[in-house]
Amino acid sequence: MTTALISVSDKTGIVDFARALNALGVRLVSTGGTARLLADQGLPVSEVAELTGFPEMLDGRVKTLHPNVHGALLARRDVPEHMAAIERHGIGTIELLVVNLYPFESAVAKPDCTLEDAIENIDIGGPAMVRSAAKNWKDVAVLTDAAQYDGVLAELRDSGRVSDATRFTLAVSAFNRISNYDGAISDYLSSLQPDGTRSPFPAQTNGRFVKMQDLRYGENPHQRAAFYRDLHPAPGSLATARQLQGKELSYNNIADADAAWECVKSFEAPACVIVKHANPCGVAVGATIEEAYAKAWKTDPTSAYGGIVALNRPLDGDTARRIGAHKQFVEVLMAPGFTDEARAIFAAKANARLLEIALPPGGATDWLNGRNLMDTKRVGSGLLMQTADNREVRRDELKVLTKVKPSDAQLDDLLFAWTVAKYVKSNAIVFCAGGMTLGVGAGQMSRIDSARIASIKAENAGLSLTGSAVASDAFFPFRDGLDVVAEAGATCVIQPGGSMRDDEVIAAADERGIAMVFTGARHFRH
């Protein structure tokens, strides 16, 4: 290795890296601010203008777009005609390219970013050099991230060269970086409206995800699967989880874990959510996380077996023992932390998967900042996109339309039931009382059948629905659904309203002495 060309926007670690290259006898060539930084540190560095014989121009827009740069990167050393051509034109070779790009993504993330600011943060020469070097990976090592510096230095010190395997890996990373960069530019420009505002639905969308792991199979053994995360995952999201113990996660484990985690994050008080086949089968809040778990499990002990358990507080020893006392097989147990005592208790349950998800920067009350902003669903040769259902209903938004008004305690139960219903597959009916679910009816074609199933679930668990609160994720189209929950023992109901027969349903509630509130928002979940 004789020559390294360095041109970085992010200067992290570059001085130490360049100093190490110089100590190995590598000639340093650099551009603009990077060259000045290295020179100020006493390193021998040549300006790229000395390489090209042409000065930087147009406020730095043109500096490396030159045959003396790209010829030095693209010439194949194993092709005599290539080597003869660059020798004939007085072009040397560059064996190492170190480039990171103008910070376009961070620039457009700023609320006050203008179109002019965005345009000036589009790198031209950097991506061109990266593509040239990556294309010729057999002869050139290309570094696009400071995290790659130490590994390359270790190989150079050990053997004087960068291995073929490493150069290929670096090239793949380089092309991925260019793809992500171009995708970000396309997303931003495609989202701009004529009035200068940005649409959440750009004219072209460029999803960018990083594979975390291959999975044993998909929903069924004959399907293949893998788990990908967002390029920049939100703090407190499932993709940031750290598995502490247990078997490898399956496709269904991950899907159910996400359902449980998104639900449990919705509560500020200590909460537990138990999910089975994508639906909450037990949800509760309590003074402690142990109490929350005990109440959630009580809702439906049968379904809880083999379920996914999510806690919004660290798992302690008392709660771990409580889970063990129920002799409950837990597929996945998720929490923002695990005490040493809890870890020791679960160490004997080798198959239980423990996932630790770090608290977001704002702490335990800041979970909602880690929510997805968009939802997507694949359809035949297409993609449905929508803003995520992050609508929260406040107490002061509720409209009471019945003669009987709900008490403060009933309003607490109604809002709890409404929060749970948001995470239950439609049609959803949820009975609750005292900060816990009593019966959950999910995924039925008929809302009245969901109501009946929820009642049966409560009966099977030995729970009384007398005095309970009920949430319906969408309006009651007829009074029969209201009659079913009233006969089961409910004394208050929360629903969106909006049916052409709302007056009939309200009259039925008045007839039965039930308090009913409308939210004005529904929570279909398909």
Side-chain angles (χ1 to χ4, degrees):
M1 180 169 290
T2 60
T3 302
L5 174 54
I6 303 173
S7 180
V8 293
S9 176
D10 179 0
K11 307 295 194 291
T12 302
I14 197 61
V15 172
D16 290 340
F17 184 62
R19 184 173 288 116
L21 291 177
N22 178 62
L24 291 168
V26 178
R27 176 192 176 204
L28 304 178
V29 179
S30 192
T31 60
T34 306
R36 289 191 293 274
L37 172 64
L38 299 182
D40 288 344
Q41 295 297 314
L43 289 167
V45 59
S46 301
E47 287 271 4
V48 75
E50 298 176 34
L51 195 70
T52 63
F54 202 90
E56 293 185 14
M57 61 183 297
L58 305 181
D59 297 321
R61 284 189 170 201
V62 177
K63 51 193 172 189
T64 59
L65 298 171
H66 194 281
N68 285 3
V69 172
H70 288 273
L73 293 170
L74 282 165
R76 287 182 56 181
R77 280 52 161 178
D78 61 341
V79 177
E81 292 82 3
H82 282 202
M83 300 310 292
I86 65 172
E87 183 177 0
R88 185 165 59 249
H89 292 284
I91 300 174
T93 59
I94 296 171
E95 289 76 31
L96 180 66
L97 178 71
V98 186
V99 169
N100 55 58
L101 310 177
Y102 293 172
F104 179 85
E105 294 98 331
S106 59
V108 298
K110 297 175 182 176
D112 58 349
C113 179
T114 64
L115 177 58
E116 182 179 358
D117 292 334
I119 294 298
E120 289 307 314
N121 275 283
I122 296 176
D123 202 331
I124 303 300
M129 288 192 294
V130 168
R131 292 177 70 90
S132 292
K135 178 174 180 174
N136 201 26
W137 63 270
K138 289 186 177 181
D139 298 309
V140 182
V142 53
L143 283 67
T144 53
D145 191 306
Q148 299 165 336
Y149 297 168
D150 288 345
V152 167
L153 279 178
E155 290 195 13
L156 288 173
R157 286 167 175 154
D158 182 58
S159 64
R161 64 186 298 272
V162 181
S163 69
D164 291 352
T166 297
R167 275 186 274 108
F168 180 75
T169 299
L170 291 171
V172 172
S173 295
F175 279 122
N176 287 342
R177 176 65 186 118
I178 297 302
S179 172
N180 293 331
Y181 195 72
D182 288 343
I185 294 169
S186 172
D187 283 346
Y188 174 79
L189 295 178
S190 296
S191 72
L192 291 180
Q193 304 299 296
D195 62 0
T197 59
R198 294 180 64 183
S199 167
F201 305 105
Q204 176 172 314
T205 184
N206 305 276
R208 296 179 295 284
F209 304 92
V210 178
K211 187 166 77 172
M212 296 184 68
Q213 66 188 93
D214 289 308
L215 304 175
R216 287 176 296 162
Y217 52 81
E219 280 186 291
N220 300 292
H222 62 273
Q223 294 172 270
R224 300 175 65 184
F227 180 33
Y228 290 77
R229 65 162 173 78
D230 285 334
L231 191 62
H232 304 290
S237 60
L238 177 65
T240 67
R242 183 169 68 101
Q243 186 166 351
L244 303 181
Q245 75 163 53
K247 296 186 297 184
E248 182 179 305
L249 290 164
S250 71
Y251 180 98
N252 292 329
N253 289 157
I254 294 171
D256 287 351
D258 185 61
W261 191 244
E262 291 303 308
C263 184
V264 83
K265 290 193 302 184
S266 299
F267 299 100
E268 291 188 7
C272 173
V273 174
I274 305 175
V275 162
K276 191 71 168 289
H277 296 305
N279 277 302
C281 61
V283 181
V285 294
T288 65
I289 203 67
E290 181 186 2
E291 180 187 356
Y293 165 76
K295 292 164 68 176
W297 177 83
K298 189 176 180 181
T299 300
D300 190 350
T302 301
S303 297
Y305 185 85
I308 309 291
V309 179
L311 311 171
N312 67 353
R313 296 291 193 279
L315 178 71
D316 55 30
D318 289 341
T319 309
R321 276 187 289 274
R322 170 82 70 157
I323 296 172
H326 287 153
K327 300 189 182 332
Q328 180 180 348
F329 169 56
V330 177
E331 283 276 6
V332 180
L333 179 55
M334 315 164 65
F338 295 80
T339 65
D340 291 342
E341 185 180 12
R343 289 285 302 276
I345 291 170
F346 268 90
K349 303 176 184 293
N351 288 334
R353 304 165 177 90
L354 302 189
L355 296 186
E356 182 178 61
I357 302 181
L359 290 169
T365 59
D366 193 36
W367 287 120
L368 298 186
N369 286 337
R371 296 185 299 190
N372 291 331
L373 298 179
M374 302 292 292
D375 283 339
T376 60
K377 181 183 294 186
R378 285 289 285 164
V379 295
S381 296
L383 185 71
L384 287 171
M385 294 187 68
Q386 63 176 349
T387 56
D389 184 10
N390 294 330
R391 173 77 159 85
E392 301 293 332
V393 174
R394 302 187 311 271
R395 185 177 293 231
D396 60 7
E397 293 181 273
L398 300 178
K399 294 181 179 179
V400 182
L401 299 174
T402 50
K403 294 175 182 177
V404 176
K405 311 303 178 186
S407 66
D408 286 343
Q410 285 179 319
L411 284 172
D412 288 341
D413 282 338
L414 288 170
L415 287 171
F416 176 84
W418 182 250
T419 299
V420 175
K422 177 180 175 181
Y423 298 96
V424 176
K425 299 286 187 179
S426 300
N427 288 311
I429 295 291
V430 180
F431 286 85
C432 297
M436 66 174 283
T437 49
L438 301 175
V440 179
Q444 299 304 304
M445 292 71 76
S446 163
R447 188 162 301 279
I448 194 168
D449 284 344
S450 287
R452 288 169 175 153
I453 288 171
S455 299
I456 292 170
K457 286 284 190 180
E459 181 181 354
N460 290 345
L463 299 173
S464 171
L465 296 180
T466 301
S468 60
V470 169
S472 173
D473 65 341
F475 60 64
F476 288 102
F478 302 95
R479 67 167 289 166
D480 52 3
L482 188 284
D483 288 330
V484 169
V485 300
E487 288 165 8
T491 55
C492 54
V493 172
I494 185 169
Q495 60 137 319
S499 166
M500 61 186 299
R501 295 184 178 83
D502 274 349
D503 289 344
E504 177 185 325
V505 177
I506 293 168
D510 285 337
E511 177 185 319
R512 290 181 170 275
I514 286 178
M516 185 163 61
V517 300
F518 284 11
T519 65
R522 77 177 187 200
H523 285 308
F524 274 163
R525 186 177 180 88
H526 294 127

